[in-house]
Amino acid sequence: MPSYDYIRDPQEIYRQSFATVRAEADFSDMDAELATVAERLIHACGMPDILEDLAWTADAAKAGREALRAGAPILADCRMVVEGVIRAGLPRDNAVFCSLNDERTRPLAAELETTRSAAAVELWQDHLEGAVVAVGNAPTALFHLLEILGKGAPKPAVILGFPVGFVGAAESKEALIEADLAVPYITLRRRRGGSAIAAAGVNALAGLAKSADMS
Amino acid sequence: MPSYDYIRDPQEIYRQSFATVRAEADFSDMDAELATVAERLIHACGMPDILEDLAWTADAAKAGREALRAGAPILADCRMVVEGVIRAGLPRDNAVFCSLNDERTRPLAAELETTRSAAAVELWQDHLEGAVVAVGNAPTALFHLLEILGKGAPKPAVILGFPVGFVGAAESKEALIEADLAVPYITLRRRRGGSAIAAAGVNALAGLAKSADMS
């Protein structure tokens, strides 16, 4: 019967994982905080080459870190992002909010003639101001967020824009980059993205917030 | 203020997404059911080139489909996979089970000197027989599953093996492929994987099960 030789110590797995990420990716065009976030995004998906597609504003890591330190909520487009956020890592026991399964979402989607994911964003409005937004699934959620921000909705502190897939994902992320909203963002051009990457972005910002608390 | 031109109709998004997947990937070495599963895996991650790394046994799609039709539970290594499983798509309201946050898992991990993810697999033993296993995060969970199966644990119906990352992911998936366990599997060689792909595998098997019910 086979016995396998593999690393069982969580700390050592973590250490070797990030050592590999640092060895294989070049973070020289980022400041230290953004590099910390980018490392976690790579760690979440196993693909150092996402760096080629990563786009960000210079203030995004700081804005997200300070928002979490101020107790800001995290607004997620899907339950998988909610589950990916490590609660023990949050600096202020921040709320993690997803309105996709809110009973108002489905009728609202019918009324607005859009997806449930986009309709769910409508229900973010009272929580948006200063929030950390994490989109890990639906291009229509990101598009709809850009639409309501363009109409004057309260501004989040930072947008982690990682919708994934073949229809609208690339386009919604380009729209985020091109929108002149004065909202910091981190995003991944083209088709790749997903809930694990979006949650990793939140977890990275939470780590920066906790480090800032201790310094 | 910008207005965006994008597809808002969920059915049309779905249709165009799968049309793109089918146009960009070559499923000619698979039977129809396996191809259906592979399409959903690609759809979940936005990467048609995962087909290059996909490995499977010929009976995997059928075994998974029939297990779900028989009411088998789904055993997941992490909460993100649980959330990614579309409950309404399951043919028998099948249970979706994740023991990562079970109160016994942490002390068991300390006792076994391994990760929580691996210890959680110990708690699967009473549910393993005929189950659909979906590993979307932890290489140590897949390694530990292979270890207990090698020691005679009850056999699942199918293993969807999609741990992700830099330490042990590739190795655990190669071990699954090389293990002579007579358990059907679908897996993705090398570093890529993740909870969205694992959940998509479950959802695809559920779709096949519902189609079989109706035929």
Side-chain angles (χ1 to χ4, degrees), chain A residues 4 6-10, chain B residues 104-125 140-141 144-145 147-148 151:
Chain A
Y4 297 103
Y6 60 98
I7 305 171
R8 291 163 169 80
D9 175 39
Chain B
R104 294 168 291 175
T105 299
R106 195 178 293 276
L108 197 55
E111 181 190 326
L112 300 175
E113 296 184 319
T114 189
T115 64
R116 247 181 355 117
S117 295
V121 169
E122 278 289 315
L123 302 177
W124 289 358
Q125 302 239 21
T140 55
H144 197 71
L145 175 63
E147 287 171 340
I148 66 173
K151 288 179 191 163

Side-chain angles (χ1 to χ4, degrees), chain A residues 57-146:
Chain A
T57 58
D59 53 348
K62 183 183 175 197
R65 178 242 289 164
E66 289 309 309
L68 292 177
R69 291 183 81 193
I74 295 145
L75 307 183
D77 71 325
C78 64
R79 290 285 318 163
M80 289 183 77
V81 171
V82 173
E83 287 295 340
V85 172
I86 301 168
R87 301 310 168 94
L90 296 174
R92 298 289 179 273
D93 199 16
N94 307 250
V96 188
F97 183 81
C98 174
S99 46
L100 189 62
N101 296 327
D102 187 297
E103 61 183 17
R104 294 168 292 175
T105 299
R106 196 179 291 274
L108 196 55
E111 181 189 328
L112 299 174
E113 297 183 319
T114 189
T115 64
R116 250 186 347 123
S117 295
V121 169
E122 278 290 314
L123 302 178
W124 289 358
Q125 301 238 22
D126 292 346
H127 311 276
L128 259 181
E129 176 117 48
V132 172
V133 168
V135 177
N137 181 42
T140 55
L142 183 53
F143 268 129
H144 197 73
L145 175 64
L146 296 177

